[in-house]
Amino acid sequence: MAPVGGTAVQDHVALAEIELCGELIIAASEAEERLSLESIDEVLRVREEREVSGR
């Protein structure tokens, strides 16, 4: 429970990881078969991250 007074701490990295996990769970639940590695990379935006980082 957050302390009274509004001093809640936000961990932006953890929040981003939780969001990606949620997106992956949604994609898996909507898929008729197991997600391929390419599908997982697409959901997690791996290609976008590689392009941004220049790899």
Side-chain angles (χ1 to χ4, degrees):
M1 189 158 86
V4 178
T7 59
V9 176
Q10 289 189 1
D11 183 338
H12 297 288
V13 173
L15 292 173
E17 289 179 358
I18 291 167
E19 182 179 346
L20 288 173
C21 287
E23 291 176 15
L24 190 55
I25 291 168
I26 291 168
S29 68
E30 292 175 347
E32 293 182 16
E33 299 178 0
R34 293 181 75 164
L35 294 176
S36 66
L37 293 177
E38 292 80 17
S39 296
I40 293 170
D41 286 351
E42 184 177 329
V43 171
L44 298 178
R45 298 186 286 272
V46 172
R47 179 178 295 158
E48 293 173 21
E49 288 298 319
R50 286 183 181 155
E51 290 172 357
V52 169
S53 67
R55 293 185 196 174

